[in-house]
Amino acid sequence: MADKQLIKVLLVEDNPEIARLIRDMLRRSPTCTFEVTHHAALKPALEYAASNPIDIVVADLTLPDSEGFPTFFSIRSTVPNVPIIILTGIDDEEMAVQAVREGAQDYLVKSQIDMHILLRAVQYAIERHRIEAALRRATVELEERVNERTAELSLANKELEREIEERIQAQTQLVQAAKMEVIGRLASGVAHEVRNPLAIILQAKEYLEGLVDTKNEEVSSTLQSMTRALTRADTIINGLLDFSRISQLEIKPHSVNELVENSLMLVKHQCDRAHVTVEKKFGESLPPVKADKVKIEQVLVNLLINAIDAMPDGGVIRIETSVSDTVSGKAVCVEIHDSGSGIPQENLAKVFDPFFTTKRVKHGTGLGLSIVKSIMEMHHGSIDIRNRTEGGATVTLLFPL
Amino acid sequence: MAGVKKILIVDDEVDFGKMVKLNLERTGEYQVMQETKGRNAVETAKAFMPDMIFLDVVMPEIDGGDVLAKLKDNAALKDIPVVFLTAIITDKEASAGDGIVAGRPFLAKPVTTAKLIDCIKKYLK
């Protein structure tokens, strides 16, 4: 009978007659060889189960040392992966049903057991338990695969989001570059066309000045208004021309500290008038940067004047220069901090747009920062403006080395 | 009229030439001839024989650069100082080189009469 399946049964039954009956029935199985270990009490049964391989437990729940559900729970917690069949009397069938609900594979009413029912119950219990275990493993495996796939999808999704973000950025840069080019071309054309009529108006105004009574207050004030309007229009046009010509750079190595010092000298008068003091913290032995001296001084003067304008009641401008590490390598860094009121959040994203200005009343053209940014980009550098948590704003210029 | 300097202004902007003429002549020190067509500039200059010429750059048919070349080709006109008076550069750019841009004297429009007179005096010393 070498090809008969061997099944190890732990039989827990305090009634020796029933135990013997079950042993006999199992021994007569034509298909399986049952190796039955019998214990009449729970404790020795659990001790055996804990240290011996078994394929199935057949147990009465009413034992000398344990009664009812605790018997079932003790067995199940000792051998959680072994199927259990409950033996029950006709009186406590309800408890057996309950045990099945809690995880027992089956129950047999002792008075109704015959060999056929017993063998079938044992074999089915083992098979069902094996299928359930396989199902549980498959479920776990499936969950793992779902989790893995979800993680992969999440990663792919993030990658896709990054690509979309990069494309949007590239597109925005292209649109911005195209906008700048159009504005540049327009600027140069418009500047020429507008400066000619301005020239006529200026000459005509001067001619009329010689004919009218300039001592009359109203006449004098009208002429002054005309002069102011002409100057303002000319300033805007000059800004446009600057804007259309920023591509003509004369690049040479320069000391950033010297460029900053030169620019500070140019705005000294404005600083004094606005009660703005300047603090300098210059890095020593900074490497020279490749720059157009005039253009970078134009950038620095523009930024310094913005900082002064941001502090109408006086304040402090602190300028720091250093070498800093950026994502694309080392760069010489110029930081201009002011102690003004900062830039309203809604304006931060727009400050570099051509014609964006908050100084309309003071005749700002709105070209300053857009030109500054374009000049920095021509130097392959960058500009960043952000508000300081302690108040005021910081402008950071980076010149790649 | 002794000592009165003759100035020719070549500019297609009719009103601009007219206003410059009025402002300069009002001083009593200048006699101004206005020419609005670049192609007539040499003939007008030969007839007027100015002491100095203000020449626009961007003009239809022939631009200021070509007019200057023709003036320099003419033996009678070649020594007359010519200053480009144009809207294609800014006052800042003109001032940066003390009125000289790319080797040529320039004045940027819009320009005040005072600047025009300073310029004339500079070249007619």
Side-chain angles (χ1 to χ4, degrees):
Chain A
M1 302 304 248
D3 55 349
K4 280 169 85 177
Q5 187 188 357
L6 175 67
I7 296 173
K8 294 179 176 178
V9 180
L10 172 60
L11 175 61
V12 192
E13 172 58 66
D14 62 336
N15 184 325
E17 282 304 310
I18 300 284
R20 189 183 54 77
L21 188 68
I22 289 173
R23 257 182 201 278
D24 285 348
M25 287 178 183
L26 291 174
R27 192 183 305 129
R28 281 184 279 138
S29 164
T31 54
C32 299
T33 302
F34 290 96
E35 187 182 295
V36 180
T37 305
H38 172 231
H39 287 286
L42 181 64
K43 191 164 177 272
L46 292 181
E47 282 169 6
Y48 178 83
S51 50
N52 292 282
I54 43 178
D55 297 312
I56 188 163
V57 178
V58 179
D60 185 1
L61 296 185
T62 306
L63 297 167
D65 56 349
S66 176
E67 194 160 334
F69 266 122
T71 312
F72 168 69
F73 287 128
S74 298
I75 297 169
R76 200 183 64 174
S77 60
T78 306
V79 282
N81 295 319
V82 175
I84 302 167
I85 292 177
I86 305 297
L87 292 172
T88 176
I90 195 85
D91 303 336
D92 50 6
E93 193 174 343
E94 200 177 314
M95 189 168 66
V97 172
Q98 186 75 24
V100 169
R101 284 200 197 109
E102 296 294 335
Q105 284 294 334
D106 205 349
Y107 73 94
L108 297 169
V109 179
K110 290 177 189 176
S111 58
Q112 294 168 357
I113 295 176
D114 65 20
M115 191 184 101
H116 183 66
I117 291 172
L118 177 67
L119 291 178
R120 197 176 61 181
V122 169
Q123 280 172 317
Y124 280 12
I126 290 170
E127 186 60 16
R128 200 159 51 230
H129 194 266
R130 192 188 60 75
I131 290 169
E132 280 174 5
L135 197 62
R136 274 197 298 277
R137 278 198 304 278
T139 305
V140 169
E141 225 169 80
L142 191 66
E143 275 173 7
E144 279 173 2
R145 285 178 64 185
V146 167
N147 287 342
E148 270 173 29
R149 191 77 188 116
T150 307
E152 281 171 19
L153 280 173
S154 167
L155 203 68
N157 205 26
K158 274 186 189 149
E159 181 68 15
L160 202 62
E161 278 173 11
R162 197 183 56 75
E163 273 178 29
I164 290 170
E165 182 64 26
E166 276 178 9
R167 279 178 191 211
I168 289 173
Q169 269 184 13
Q171 202 175 13
T172 309
Q173 279 170 1
L174 276 177
V175 169
Q176 184 68 4
K179 202 163 81 174
M180 289 301 184
E181 196 192 328
V182 170
I183 288 172
R185 271 192 279 123
L186 260 175
S188 155
V190 167
H192 182 256
E193 292 310 311
V194 174
R195 285 159 66 86
N196 270 313
L198 281 182
I200 297 168
I201 296 169
L202 177 60
Q203 285 290 316
K205 185 205 70 131
E206 289 189 341
Y207 176 69
L208 291 176
E209 271 174 335
L211 299 181
V212 295
D213 176 12
T214 50
K215 291 197 178 82
N216 177 304
E217 202 174 307
E218 282 184 7
V219 170
S220 163
S221 135
T222 305
L223 288 168
Q224 280 170 16
S225 296
M226 286 177 77
T227 305
R228 278 198 300 273
L230 278 165
T231 308
R232 183 171 155 196
D234 197 34
T235 305
I236 294 171
I237 294 303
N238 287 347
L240 276 170
L241 279 177
D242 279 348
F243 191 81
S244 63
R245 289 175 191 178
I246 51 173
S247 58
Q248 299 159 11
L249 296 182
E250 199 179 320
I251 299 288
K252 283 180 187 168
H254 289 285
S255 149
V256 156
N257 291 349
E258 269 179 39
L259 295 176
V260 173
E261 284 286 14
N262 293 345
S263 309
L264 281 171
M265 266 173 28
L266 293 171
V267 297
K268 187 178 181 307
H269 176 63
Q270 280 102 320
C271 280
D272 292 345
R273 201 172 50 188
H275 306 290
V276 169
T277 53
V278 177
E279 292 174 0
K280 293 179 277 188
K281 192 179 164 194
F282 287 173
E284 287 174 16
S285 315
L286 296 182
V289 295
K290 287 175 192 150
D292 181 311
K293 180 176 180 287
V294 174
K295 297 288 185 220
I296 293 304
E297 284 177 2
Q298 184 186 350
V299 164
L300 291 165
V301 166
N302 197 306
L303 296 174
L304 289 167
I305 287 173
N306 280 350
I308 295 166
D309 286 347
M311 299 181 287
D313 302 319
V316 179
I317 292 177
R318 199 171 81 251
I319 304 189
E320 295 176 26
T321 61
S322 60
V323 171
S324 79
D325 288 310
T326 70
V327 280
S328 42
K330 284 196 180 302
V332 172
C333 173
V334 180
E335 285 176 296
I336 302 175
H337 313 279
D338 68 59
S339 60
S341 51
I343 299 161
Q345 202 60 35
E346 68 271 20
N347 291 345
L348 263 181
K350 295 186 282 188
V351 291
F352 295 116
D353 287 355
F355 303 109
F356 175 78
T357 180
T358 57
K359 298 189 200 170
R360 196 66 73 193
V361 287
K362 287 194 203 165
H363 310 167
T365 62
L367 281 168
L369 281 179
S370 64
I371 292 175
V372 160
K373 184 164 190 270
S374 299
I375 292 174
M376 287 308 294
E377 284 168 356
M378 293 298 297
H379 286 78
H380 307 292
S382 67
I383 178 165
D384 177 61
I385 297 186
R386 57 188 62 193
N387 286 321
R388 304 161 70 204
T389 45
E390 61 269 48
T394 292
V395 181
T396 307
L397 302 176
L398 289 173
F399 297 89
L401 289 173
Chain B
M1 294 290 277
V4 171
K5 302 292 181 190
K6 290 163 79 176
I7 310 294
L8 172 62
I9 175 157
V10 183
D11 195 315
D12 62 313
E13 290 280 353
V14 180
D15 290 336
F16 179 69
K18 190 172 87 184
M19 295 319 304
V20 169
K21 179 177 165 64
L22 283 171
N23 283 329
L24 288 180
E25 288 189 343
R26 190 164 60 179
T27 65
E29 294 180 21
Y30 307 102
Q31 182 191 354
V32 179
M33 171 67 76
Q34 181 187 6
E35 175 53 67
T36 57
K37 290 186 170 60
R39 62 184 150 84
N40 295 343
V42 172
E43 287 311 309
T44 306
K46 276 196 318 201
F48 183 55
M49 286 310 290
D51 295 299
M52 181 174 166
I53 299 171
F54 284 118
L55 179 56
D56 190 13
V57 174
V58 181
M59 290 185 289
E61 296 178 8
I62 174 170
D63 72 21
D66 289 341
V67 172
L68 177 67
K70 285 182 193 298
L71 290 169
K72 294 295 173 196
D73 273 351
N74 188 296
L77 305 174
K78 67 180 173 56
D79 295 325
I80 299 173
V82 177
V83 173
F84 285 118
L85 180 52
T86 174
I88 60 165
I89 61 161
T90 65
D91 188 44
K92 196 168 68 182
E93 287 167 327
S95 306
D98 196 23
I100 303 294
V101 178
R104 297 279 176 205
F106 268 77
L107 265 184
K109 287 182 186 173
V111 65
T112 61
T113 306
K115 273 202 173 175
L116 282 174
I117 292 172
D118 283 349
C119 180
I120 294 167
K121 286 183 174 164
K122 180 176 169 185
Y123 288 100
L124 297 186
K125 269 192 286 199

